[in-house]
Every structure is written in C-alpha cells, then in structure tokens.
Amino acid sequence: MSVMTPILRIRRVLRSIGATSQQSDDFADAMSAYPTKDDFQQRLDTMFAQQFNRIMFGIIVVVGLAVAIITVLMVALD
C-alpha cells in the first residue's frame, strides 16, 4: 500500500487541476512503470558487483602473468 499511496495522491492532484479520470489514470499508470528507489539501488549494486568481479579477475590475470614471467626468467638465467 505504501507504493500505491503516492500514485493515488498524484491521481487526486491531477483530478483537482482539471484532468479527466482517464487522463489521471493514464498518468498514474505511466508513473508506476518507472523503477522505484529500491529497484534503482539494486541495479546499481548489481552493476558495481559485476565491475568489481571484472577488476579482480584482471588483477589476478596480471599477477599470474607477472609470476609466470619472473619464474621463466629465473629458470632461463640460472
């Protein structure tokens, strides 16, 4: 009900400024299609988690290559 309360208030305000019932219903339906603050935060968290995973994978690959190169150089120069 807490999600619908702002939508119902918007509908009431639109009715008070002269919109028809159909127009206010259409506007309220359009507004309810937008993501909520929680949906937006969840998308951001998912995006940051994916970026963190990519960065960590890149760091692991670079460190692994550096260790492999050092190992090859130590064996070759010995």
Side-chain angles (χ1 to χ4, degrees), residues 2-61:
S2 64
V3 173
M4 284 305 289
T5 303
I7 299 298
L8 293 176
R9 284 191 298 191
I10 288 173
R11 186 180 184 283
R12 221 176 307 137
V13 168
L14 289 172
R15 289 295 308 234
S16 70
I17 60 173
T20 65
S21 180
Q22 181 63 34
Q23 289 172 331
S24 57
D25 286 342
D26 290 343
F27 185 79
D29 289 341
M31 289 302 293
S32 66
Y34 284 103
T36 63
K37 181 180 177 182
D38 293 333
D39 294 336
F40 184 70
Q41 186 63 42
Q42 186 177 12
R43 289 179 187 176
L44 274 177
D45 292 343
T46 303
M47 182 182 70
F48 284 128
Q50 289 173 347
Q51 290 293 356
F52 178 78
N53 289 343
R54 289 178 185 160
I55 289 170
M56 287 305 294
F57 180 74
I59 289 172
I60 290 170
V61 167

Side-chain angles (χ1 to χ4, degrees), residues 50-78:
Q50 289 173 347
Q51 290 293 356
F52 178 78
N53 289 343
R54 289 178 185 160
I55 289 170
M56 287 305 294
F57 180 74
I59 289 172
I60 290 170
V61 167
V62 168
V63 169
L65 286 173
V67 168
I69 290 170
I70 291 172
T71 303
V72 167
L73 287 175
M74 287 178 66
V75 169
L77 296 178
D78 221 11

